[in-house]
Amino acid sequence: MHHTTTDQPNQFDLLRQRRFAPFFWTQFLGAGNDNLFKFAFTVMVTYQLQVAWLPPALAGLVIGALFILPFVLFSATSGQLADKLEKTRIIRFVKTLEIAIMAAAALGFMTHNVLLLLGCVFMMGLHSTLFGPVKFAYLPQHLSEREITGGNGMVEMGTFVAILLGNLAGGLLIALPGVGATWVAVACVASALLGRLVAQGVPLSPATDPALQINWNPLSETWRNLRLARENIVVFRSLLGISWMWFFGAVFLANFPVFAKEVLHGDEHVASLLLVVFSVGIGLGSLACEMLSRRHVEIGLVPAGAIGMSLFAVDLYFASRGLPPVGSQTVTQFIAQPAHWRVMADLGLLALSAGLYSVPMYALIQLRSQPTHRARIIAANNILNALFMIVSSVGAGAMLGAGFSVPQVFLATGLLNAAVGVYIFLLVPEYLLRFVAFLLSRAMYRFRVQGDEHIPTSGAAIVVCNHVSTVDALLLMAASPRPMRFLMDHRIFSVPVLGWLFKLAKAIPIAPQAENPAAYAAAFDTADQVLADGDLLCLFPEGGITRDGTLQAFKPGVMKILARRPVPVVPVALTHLWGSYFSRIEGGVAMVRPLRRGLFSAVGLVAGPALAPAEVTPEVLHARVLALSQAG
């Protein structure tokens, strides 16, 4: 199911398709109802009921903790169920369960029965725990690699809009004098019924591991899930990365009411406004991923998001210092003060960065997890998220208890995020490399990719390309839907900065056989191993960067690799790079005049259909690459 980039529908078109729309609205109504119920309940015990054993200051924490508890206890079991059973059955069961829970909650609201409502919070947490793994395992079954970033962006954006609308509706309805509780009861049951109706339209999603034996012990299964997730190190580190985002976000979300009241001197509507700004930011960041990533999973956005999260969290600290102490302000009075605009801009941009950071990580987990236990990996993710959120609320609570102000807690979180970011990117250099490739292909050049559907998204293959400049490998990285390993002239490793980047990229240095026979043989052994692992290998068969812009004769190295391991070969040509700063146009030397051609000059990459190993000769490849370079 591949499209070329030009006729590819955008992510909003998915809302008109049966494989996505009913699922999207089911998820949307569920998230909205969760939050309508929780927020209305929180407001009720904070402002309307005086419950001796549940003081208002604790209400939010208790409700939050009760909701998260089932994620810790039952995620492992629900991950197994989602892998073993047909997913639509689970979705419909969960939505039927929601009607029963909401009927009980309606009774709780009408009779002001706090204990019953707390029980319903726990049950709604259980409902979300069952739905979580199904939600993320459903998408890769129905969307192609090119749609998954957009699909995830839509679901993330939909979830945050639903959370926002749920919170606003819950707050407005419960505040209606005299009839608030009744209206909330009606709204909760109505949302649950509508959700169940929409779930009827979700198409079947066959079980991915029907033979799975379910282990009902949540402790041993949780441990097994975390071990399962660790088997694929890229996936596991992405899980930790997402959990960190929840840790970071939870600090801000949990402290909005206190921040609005004590630091910004606003009423409870100002707290809602902050939530709106934050949710809109995450929504925009999630949607921007699709546009910025050209519909592939672009993990280069992750460092960009991490930098933004730290930058704006630190600036929020400075923006919220020294605000004039005034009485409680309404939203209109709050917005009227320019000093508050910077606070709102920081919050919005911080959330937008978190959206950019998390969506590619979710998509990466979905694509790189084995389909048979994808739901269990997502369950491991939910367990880690819950644990991280609990640690973050305990940590933030301890800081506030020790006398730190809310802005200081935000500052500490921003600085901690920078440290975690540096650690992650040194641990997984792939993120950093894609970020550099992303900047180069979007910020320095207008980079146009044609025929990228010919670069396979799975399985071993060799990509052969003309060699025009010192940054060819980075541009190929930016165009490829997945990581590739490069066989490169050993001399490029001595170039400052670039050499370091190529070492990080695990490029394979190759020296001429006459010069260093051991290094030459080792390079071919490593290249063979890359293909044996089912990965992409990229060669520049000219053996060096062109000195006059023309395509040199191809060396026979590719034949040597194919003789050991016959795999498809994809011809690729880089176009319009000759004459750029990174090409050897200055008397055979590169990187002499920085502004040789203006910023944003157009460069391109054209990929052609793969050749079967039997069709390949250096001459045939040369002709193909030459034709592609002229076509581009």
Side-chain angles (χ1 to χ4, degrees), residues 463-537:
V463 173
V464 297
C465 184
N466 54 339
H467 209 352
V468 196
S469 77
T470 50
V471 293
D472 292 353
L474 288 170
L475 289 170
L476 278 156
M477 261 183 226
S480 171
R482 62 190 175 123
M484 49 167 80
R485 294 279 297 276
F486 295 88
L487 198 60
M488 295 171 88
D489 183 341
H490 68 111
R491 286 174 300 226
I492 198 148
F493 290 88
S494 58
V495 177
V497 184
L498 282 174
W500 176 74
L501 278 173
F502 293 137
K503 279 191 191 104
L504 267 186
K506 298 207 197 79
I508 306 159
I510 185 164
Q513 193 168 11
E515 201 180 292
N516 188 338
Y520 178 79
F524 280 100
D525 288 342
T526 313
D528 184 62
Q529 190 53 50
V530 169
L531 296 172
D533 292 341
D535 293 328
L536 286 180
L537 177 72

Side-chain angles (χ1 to χ4, degrees), residues 425-473:
F425 305 134
L426 289 177
L427 205 63
V428 193
E430 197 184 323
Y431 284 119
L432 207 55
L433 289 163
R434 293 293 292 226
F435 179 54
V436 173
F438 178 80
L439 284 179
L440 182 76
S441 63
R442 309 289 200 289
M444 276 196 71
Y445 293 126
R446 288 200 320 279
F447 186 45
R448 184 158 169 260
V449 181
Q450 293 166 271
D452 57 334
E453 68 275 11
H454 297 305
I455 303 173
T457 51
S458 61
I462 296 174
V463 173
V464 297
C465 184
N466 54 339
H467 209 352
V468 196
S469 77
T470 50
V471 293
D472 292 353

Side-chain angles (χ1 to χ4, degrees), residues 97-164:
L97 176 68
E98 187 182 337
I99 298 172
I101 300 168
M102 283 309 172
L107 185 67
F109 276 118
M110 315 268 267
T111 58
H112 291 178
N113 185 332
V114 176
L115 268 177
L116 176 59
L117 286 168
L118 285 172
C120 291
V121 169
F122 181 81
M123 288 304 291
M124 280 309 281
L126 176 63
H127 152 280
S128 299
T129 304
L130 284 169
F131 190 71
V134 181
K135 171 174 115 176
F136 282 108
Y138 174 90
L139 289 176
Q141 274 187 287
H142 294 270
L143 303 183
S144 70
E145 188 269 342
R146 294 169 149 258
E147 296 170 315
I148 200 132
T149 298
N152 271 307
M154 288 296 286
V155 170
E156 286 287 284
M157 184 268 317
T159 304
F160 276 95
V161 170
I163 289 173
L164 181 66

Side-chain angles (χ1 to χ4, degrees), residues 11-12 14 20 24 136 139 143 147-161 282-291 355 358-360 362-363 366:
Q11 57 202 33
F12 291 101
L14 290 170
F20 185 78
F24 175 86
F136 282 108
L139 289 176
L143 303 183
E147 296 170 315
I148 200 132
T149 298
N152 271 307
M154 288 296 286
V155 170
E156 286 287 284
M157 184 268 317
T159 304
F160 276 95
V161 170
I282 289 230
L284 289 174
S286 303
L287 289 179
C289 287
E290 157 93 344
M291 184 183 74
S358 64
V359 170
Y362 274 123
Q366 287 166 326

Side-chain angles (χ1 to χ4, degrees), residues 260-454:
K261 190 175 165 192
E262 292 174 11
V263 181
L264 304 177
H265 314 292
D267 62 11
E268 55 266 48
H269 294 298
V270 173
S272 296
L273 173 72
L274 298 183
L275 188 72
V276 171
V277 170
F278 196 79
S279 303
V280 169
I282 289 230
L284 289 174
S286 303
L287 289 179
C289 287
E290 157 93 344
M291 184 183 74
L292 291 169
S293 66
R294 297 218 180 91
R295 305 208 167 81
H296 283 305
V297 176
E298 180 48 85
I299 60 174
L301 292 172
V302 174
I307 292 166
M309 283 157 71
S310 278
L311 211 60
F312 298 116
V314 171
D315 192 66
L316 183 61
Y317 165 73
F318 290 108
S320 54
R321 273 173 49 185
L323 293 175
V326 284
S328 187
Q329 300 167 298
T330 62
V331 168
T332 325
Q333 292 166 327
F334 177 77
I335 292 177
Q337 297 196 22
H340 294 149
W341 299 351
R342 180 172 159 198
V343 171
M344 291 194 290
D346 280 333
L347 265 181
L349 290 166
L350 175 147
L352 185 137
S353 304
L356 286 180
Y357 172 94
S358 64
V359 170
M361 281 208 187
Y362 274 123
L364 186 77
I365 292 167
Q366 287 166 326
L367 279 178
R368 305 256 185 109
S369 304
Q370 285 181 18
T372 48
H373 49 249
R374 194 183 275 135
R376 276 166 287 165
I377 301 280
I378 299 295
N381 178 42
N382 289 345
I383 296 164
L384 285 171
N385 289 356
L387 292 172
F388 271 65
M389 283 163 84
I390 290 165
V391 171
S392 99
S393 54
V394 169
M399 278 186 77
L400 292 169
F404 286 90
S405 70
V406 175
Q408 284 170 330
V409 172
F410 290 170
L411 175 68
T413 311
L415 296 174
L416 195 56
N417 182 65
V420 169
V422 169
Y423 175 68
I424 289 181
F425 305 134
L426 289 177
L427 205 63
V428 193
E430 197 184 323
Y431 284 119
L432 207 55
L433 289 163
R434 293 293 292 226
F435 179 54
V436 173
F438 178 80
L439 284 179
L440 182 76
S441 63
R442 309 289 200 289
M444 276 196 71
Y445 293 126
R446 288 200 320 279
F447 186 45
R448 184 158 169 260
V449 181
Q450 293 166 271
D452 57 334
E453 68 275 11
H454 297 305

